[in-house]
Amino acid sequence: MSFPESTSGTESSEGTCQVTLRELLGVAELQLQWVLGDHDKMERAVRWAHTTELLDPAPYLRGGELVCTVGASLTHPEACCSFVAAVSGANAAALCFGTGDLHEEIPSALVDACQQRGLPLLHAPKGVPFIRVAEYLSERRVAAEIQENRRAELLMSKLLAAVRAQVPVSGMVAIVAESLRGRVELIVNERTIATEGVDSAAEGVLVTAAVEKRSTLTWSGAGAAPSLTLLGQLGRVIELARHERDVEEALKRERVGQLLLLVEDRLANPIALRPILDETGIDERRLVLSAWPEGAAPLLAAHLADSLIGEAPGIALAVTRTANPAYGAAQMLSLPCGYSSSVELVELPRAIAEARAALKLARRRGGAVGPDALTSLEGLLEQQPARRLSPFIDQILTPLITSDDRHGTSHVETLRTFLRLGGSLQETAREQYLHVNTVRHRLARIHLITGHDPLVFADRVALAIALWAYDRRQTGQNRAM
């Protein structure tokens, strides 16, 4: 996509006035006449009128001027060529030649030079002072500035009212787009936050104002472009509102997270969440609780529409209508997630416990883990507090680990393989390169040391629980390190 004009950075008040050559030619009192030049160049904007009799005025031109002269230095063809080259090279809008003082008509060499350079040439007849052109441009600039200030004041009032009314950032951008009759885009960290306005406006002039270090507000349209100053002021109001919304949303998530933890510990009634759920549009008769890693709440807020997000120490929690949004977000964000079964509001404490346990499984497996995974032995153990499983480690596994360390044996590894292979003596012997009788002997030693016989189902379950709890404790210690 291409734009006829692009503006950025800072600008002076000159940028608020766009007077074209066509407009100047239409002012009767100026009596200016079009001598030569492509007619599409009549749309060139004239920034200022600069009167000069220097042969090389380029050092004093900034571009966009209507250069006015009576030709005091243009006494021969070479001088005309040099003068036109200097004016054209300085990107002047056009050349205006005044007759009646030094020249009765425009020198033909000057006309030829303008023709060759493609520089529009205007004629000012005798009795039309160049100062009047400058005065007209000045008057138009002042009028444009007054209009711009009035428009800015009105628009700023609208934006401030929108801030007080808690209008979303996209709504504030829409207000600016409508008032400035164009398309407006807010970009933060190279990511579009909001875009509002008609698509066709993107084909016109482009104006980009830097708002903050990594934030810009862009306007595009076919009409009168706003000044960078105005666009920057509007952008700062929108950015202020955006930051305020971010802080408010973060505080809200923290309050929701604290309330959910109180509900989990049964220190608060789940009914306390009813007003917030009603505001979000979630039916209290059917909701799903999902648990996420700490710090995930801002990401969830962006990917889980119509959900209730809570940020708490060590965990992020989300309440959704069904499990599908949580499952989809986990896939999109590549985050572990544990979600509960669908429950009523009064059952929320159970749902939080389910989601927490499922999250622990998800951290091991990756992806999203639901309540169905909690019906396994591993799922059941994940729901138990560590202190409840400590006796299994201390009374069953610790003596076996101590014996291995003291005698250089590997009974723990044999037990782990035996349990993983479903209690098969032959498979355990094959994997560990042992004779079956050696495996039997080791299992007998395990029975003697721990008091639990691996060949008995109930004892085998206790041994499995002890190993699982030990592994979880070791994983927790490694993470802490």
Side-chain angles (χ1 to χ4, degrees):
M1 183 181 297
S2 62
F3 298 92
E5 178 180 343
S6 179
T7 311
S8 61
T10 59
E11 74 165 22
S12 66
S13 60
E14 296 166 347
T16 63
C17 180
Q18 291 290 328
V19 178
T20 65
L21 290 173
R22 185 183 299 277
E23 181 178 337
L24 285 178
L25 291 167
V27 180
E29 64 177 296
L30 297 181
Q31 303 179 43
L32 299 179
Q33 302 164 1
W34 184 263
V35 178
L36 65 84
D38 296 336
H39 282 277
D40 59 348
K41 292 183 179 179
M42 286 187 179
E43 306 306 324
R44 281 187 173 182
V46 179
R47 187 179 59 81
W48 191 242
H50 181 80
T51 301
T52 182
E53 299 305 326
L54 295 174
L55 192 60
D56 181 10
Y60 306 98
L61 302 178
R62 292 169 49 194
E65 294 91 351
L66 176 65
V67 177
C68 303
T69 183
V70 295
S73 302
L74 307 180
T75 56
H76 52 84
E78 291 78 9
C80 292
C81 290
S82 297
F83 180 73
V84 171
V87 173
S88 177
N91 297 316
L95 176 61
C96 180
F97 192 90
T99 58
D101 293 314
L102 298 178
H103 296 268
E104 292 302 319
E105 60 183 20
I106 303 175
S108 59
L110 186 69
V111 176
D112 292 341
C114 288
Q115 182 74 46
Q116 291 177 1
R117 292 279 181 175
L119 180 66
L121 177 60
L122 278 63
H123 174 225
K126 184 178 181 179
V128 179
F130 293 142
I131 189 64
R132 187 65 196 99
V133 179
E135 288 173 347
Y136 176 82
L137 291 172
S138 179
E139 291 167 1
R140 286 282 284 107
R141 179 180 300 163
V142 171
E145 288 178 356
I146 293 174
Q147 183 179 5
E148 179 81 0
N149 289 337
R150 288 176 178 172
R151 180 168 66 161
E153 291 174 3
L154 178 60
L155 185 48
M156 194 65 73
S157 297
K158 288 183 179 179
L159 277 189
L160 293 177
V163 172
R164 293 192 297 271
Q166 299 290 308
V167 173
V169 170
S170 59
M172 299 182 70
V173 172
I175 291 173
V176 175
E178 180 181 3
S179 298
L180 298 182
R181 297 191 177 98
R183 186 169 186 80
V184 177
E185 183 176 19
L186 176 65
I187 300 175
V188 180
N189 293 325
E190 300 182 352
R191 183 170 68 91
T192 298
I193 302 299
T195 303
E196 299 292 339
V198 293
D199 292 334
S200 59
E203 301 299 328
V205 176
L206 174 69
V207 181
T208 298
V211 180
E212 292 184 352
K213 186 176 181 180
R214 300 181 64 84
S215 173
T216 60
L217 189 67
T218 297
W219 176 93
S220 57
S227 67
L228 285 172
T229 301
L230 172 59
L231 203 59
Q233 291 172 343
L234 300 175
R236 281 187 285 276
V237 174
I238 294 175
E239 272 292 86
L240 178 63
R242 188 177 69 85
H243 289 316
E244 185 176 287
R245 303 286 189 278
D246 289 345
V247 172
E248 291 174 355
E249 289 298 317
L251 291 174
K252 179 181 177 181
R253 290 194 293 267
E254 289 181 8
R255 290 194 295 269
V256 170
Q258 293 168 0
L259 183 54
L260 287 171
L261 291 187
L262 291 174
V263 169
E264 179 187 18
D265 294 336
R266 301 186 185 278
L267 297 176
N269 194 318
I271 302 301
L273 287 162
R274 181 177 288 165
I276 310 176
L277 291 175
D278 290 342
E279 181 182 335
T280 311
I282 298 176
D283 187 351
E284 67 175 74
R285 296 169 299 179
R286 187 178 179 220
L287 51 86
V288 172
L289 194 291
S290 56
W292 304 76
E294 183 179 16
L299 289 174
L300 298 179
H303 287 83
L304 290 178
D306 302 324
S307 62
L308 184 62
I309 310 296
E311 183 78 79
I315 195 169
L317 301 168
V319 181
T320 53
R321 295 183 180 89
T322 65
N324 291 336
Y327 186 86
Q331 302 301 314
M332 182 176 297
L333 299 172
S334 298
L335 287 175
C337 162
Y339 60 90
S340 72
S341 54
S342 182
V343 300
E344 295 184 9
L345 180 58
V346 293
E347 299 175 294
L348 196 58
R350 175 174 66 82
I352 298 175
E354 273 188 6
R356 278 186 178 274
L359 176 60
K360 291 179 181 178
L361 280 179
R363 289 182 184 276
R364 296 172 181 271
R365 300 179 181 180
V369 172
D372 54 327
L374 299 180
T375 57
S376 64
L377 175 61
E378 183 181 5
L380 176 64
L381 295 176
E382 285 287 2
Q383 300 177 68
Q384 309 305 314
R387 64 180 181 277
R388 185 173 297 170
L389 301 179
S390 292
F392 286 86
I393 302 173
D394 300 337
Q395 298 177 25
I396 298 177
L397 203 60
T398 298
L400 192 60
I401 294 172
T402 302
S403 176
D404 276 350
D405 292 341
R406 184 178 300 159
H407 300 100
T409 54
S410 54
H411 292 91
V412 172
E413 188 58 34
T414 299
L415 175 63
R416 188 185 298 276
T417 303
F418 180 72
L419 294 174
R420 178 168 53 81
L421 296 176
S424 171
L425 293 170
Q426 288 77 12
E427 292 296 326
T428 301
R430 184 179 297 110
E431 184 164 318
Q432 292 213 318
Y433 301 98
L434 299 173
H435 192 277
V436 173
N437 288 339
T438 302
V439 174
R440 290 182 184 276
H441 175 72
R442 289 189 179 183
L443 296 182
R445 285 287 301 166
I446 291 171
H447 182 191
L448 180 64
I449 295 170
T450 66
H452 290 73
D453 187 353
L455 298 176
V456 176
F457 176 76
D459 287 352
R460 189 156 65 242
V461 171
L463 289 165
I465 293 173
L467 266 176
W468 187 93
Y470 175 77
D471 289 342
R472 184 170 74 167
R473 177 188 287 179
Q474 292 299 107
T475 301
Q477 291 175 349
N478 290 338
R479 286 178 179 171
M481 294 173 62

